[in-house]
Amino acid sequence: MQEFAAWLAGTGLSQTIASSLWMIPVIQSVHIVTFGVLIGALLMVDLRILGVIAKDQSLVTVTRRYAPWVWGCIVVLAASGLLLIVGEPARELLSFSFWAKMSLLAVGIVIAAAFQIHVRNNQAKWAETEMVAPATKVFAVLSFFIWLGIIAMGRLIAWDTEIWGSLSPQA
Amino acid sequence: MDFYSFFAAIENSAIGTFVRETLNALPIINVFHVVGLSLVFGTIFMVDMRLIGLQSVSRPVSRVAQDLLKWTWVGFALAAVTGLLMFAANATTFYVNLQFQLKMVALVFAGLNMVVFELITARNMAHWDNERRTPPAARFAGFASISLWVLIIVLGRWIGYTKGFNFSAPPAGDLDLDNLFGAISLVQTAVG
């Protein structure tokens, strides 16, 4: 890990990003715009599961409409996130918020993938059923708050020591 | 009273002082601001994409708007309240900040775009509600809305990088490699 971070901070790409005045803010802006779209798409699927919106359409229809946005956004977020790690290795890799974010991200992606595979394998059932099992509703709410938590942890990277104290590796 | 002393009074008000001087208040308010803005942008984006004709085209525009727009307002309320709190804490600094001024102008234009759409373009929506292809004015409104909100986000992020703010974010590229390696081994110990 130490060699990795040293190597990363010393690469040409890292130094190009770090020495530019505008690259980090621009990549961060792309990151923010993209997670906004992700949240919009997730919210619609989760609200359909809860039966709050689009009750005239099946969960299969609503998922098919918004799932491509979720996965597309995750790809753009990963790419822009990687550039931010390369550009500021110490800020990201040496922060508690970052690793908390990555842990939540793993859980969020597993839930999203499991949900989509489940819907795909049970299309007939979900195309007919308007009622959703309570457990699914719990997962919908949980998943949404996990993604909000990912956003929160991402923003808190900027105040890692102030927020986490001795938990922060920067302390 | 001129504008500057007006904003100085806001900054020195009880609420401004409270936000500024309370431990971790600004980071936590900032987190909720970002959560609010992602709700605003994500939901308005889907409506705008429907207007442009790139999303949910088989569903009536009014239905798409009904699904999404109340959540846009929830997000906007959250972003506005948290934004006002952050503004109050450093009002004079925001007041003289160019990126902040431009962001407010962009917000006004986003509001005007919405008012024009609601009062003029959407007046005969019944005629094109089910059409996959919306009228040019509606497509323009969608395109303008996405552009303005992206601009608002970019300017907002840019405020954090402009001089005069004490958001206590570690400066980019200011690496202490010796400390860095000590801290990495700490992470390794913590992660196991």
Side-chain angles (χ1 to χ4, degrees):
Chain A
M1 185 65 152
Q2 293 192 6
E3 285 97 38
F4 172 70
W7 170 78
L8 195 56
T11 54
L13 181 59
S14 178
Q15 287 173 354
T16 306
I17 297 172
S19 61
S20 157
L21 282 175
W22 56 267
M23 277 192 197
I24 292 285
V26 166
I27 301 168
Q28 284 177 341
S29 297
V30 171
H31 206 66
I32 299 169
V33 165
T34 313
F35 69 59
V37 175
L38 173 85
I39 283 297
L42 276 170
L43 181 71
M44 289 300 103
V45 177
D46 288 343
L47 288 175
R48 175 61 192 83
I49 293 173
L50 294 177
V52 176
I53 61 142
K55 274 188 279 193
D56 56 318
Q57 292 196 312
S58 76
L59 187 58
V60 174
T61 310
V62 175
T63 305
R64 200 172 285 153
R65 185 187 302 148
Y66 289 110
W69 287 106
V70 172
W71 297 114
C73 285
I74 288 176
V75 170
V76 177
L77 286 167
S80 51
L82 278 174
L83 284 176
L84 290 171
I85 295 170
V86 171
E88 303 180 313
R91 185 183 199 256
E92 314 291 344
L93 299 174
L94 300 184
S95 93
F96 180 81
S97 313
F98 174 81
W99 294 107
K101 176 178 175 174
M102 291 302 113
S103 312
L104 287 172
L105 180 64
V107 180
I109 288 179
V110 167
I111 294 179
F115 169 76
Q116 214 188 336
I117 291 167
H118 175 77
V119 170
R120 187 172 292 165
N121 292 341
N122 297 277
Q123 284 203 30
K125 181 187 155 209
W126 287 112
E128 290 166 9
T129 321
E130 291 304 316
M131 293 301 292
V132 174
T136 314
K137 294 188 180 184
V138 171
F139 264 101
V141 174
L142 184 71
S143 140
F144 191 71
F145 280 97
I146 285 173
W147 286 97
L148 290 187
I150 292 167
I151 290 176
M153 288 302 143
R155 180 66 278 221
L156 286 181
I157 290 171
W159 293 280
D160 209 59
T161 41
E162 286 88 338
I163 291 285
W164 302 114
S166 58
L167 275 179
S168 168
Q170 291 164 15
Chain B
M1 190 162 70
D2 61 278
F3 279 116
Y4 192 88
S5 35
F6 172 68
F7 290 117
I10 292 177
E11 191 170 297
N12 293 321
S13 68
I15 191 143
T17 311
F18 175 80
V19 174
R20 195 172 52 250
E21 292 179 358
T22 307
L23 185 69
N24 293 337
L26 278 173
I28 291 164
I29 292 169
N30 202 303
V31 161
F32 282 97
H33 193 65
V34 173
V35 165
L37 80 87
S38 44
L39 272 173
V40 171
F41 186 74
T43 53
I44 201 100
F45 175 85
M46 293 299 173
V47 177
D48 293 336
M49 282 305 223
R50 172 63 183 90
L51 292 176
I52 293 171
L54 295 172
Q55 165 70 17
S56 311
V57 285
S58 56
R59 192 164 170 75
V61 176
S62 59
R63 283 281 175 81
V64 174
Q66 196 186 1
D67 286 348
L68 286 148
L69 287 184
K70 54 167 116 32
W71 303 97
T72 312
W73 287 110
V74 170
F76 188 79
L78 184 59
V81 169
T82 50
L84 283 170
L85 288 173
M86 289 193 287
F87 179 81
N90 290 290
T92 55
T93 326
F94 279 102
Y95 170 58
V96 297
N97 182 267
L98 177 66
Q99 285 72 27
F100 175 80
Q101 295 162 357
L102 292 172
K103 180 179 174 178
M104 291 305 110
V105 172
L107 262 176
V108 168
F109 275 100
L112 283 175
N113 180 51
M114 188 185 66
V115 167
V116 169
F117 176 79
E118 290 291 339
L119 294 185
I120 300 169
T121 315
R123 207 162 46 183
N124 59 355
M125 199 204 259
H127 296 299
W128 48 270
D129 200 15
N130 289 299
E131 301 290 327
R132 300 173 79 88
R133 196 170 169 77
T134 60
R139 271 176 276 146
F140 174 81
F143 181 76
S145 167
I146 290 181
S147 309
L148 285 164
W149 283 107
V150 168
L151 183 63
I152 290 163
I153 289 175
V154 170
L155 288 166
R157 180 63 287 215
W158 199 357
I159 291 170
Y161 281 91
T162 47
K163 285 198 169 73
F165 279 91
N166 180 20
F167 286 142
S168 50
D174 192 14
L175 298 187
D176 179 347
L177 284 176
D178 293 329
N179 275 335
L180 188 143
F181 297 136
I184 285 178
S185 53
L186 253 177
V187 174
Q188 283 177 325
T189 320
V191 175

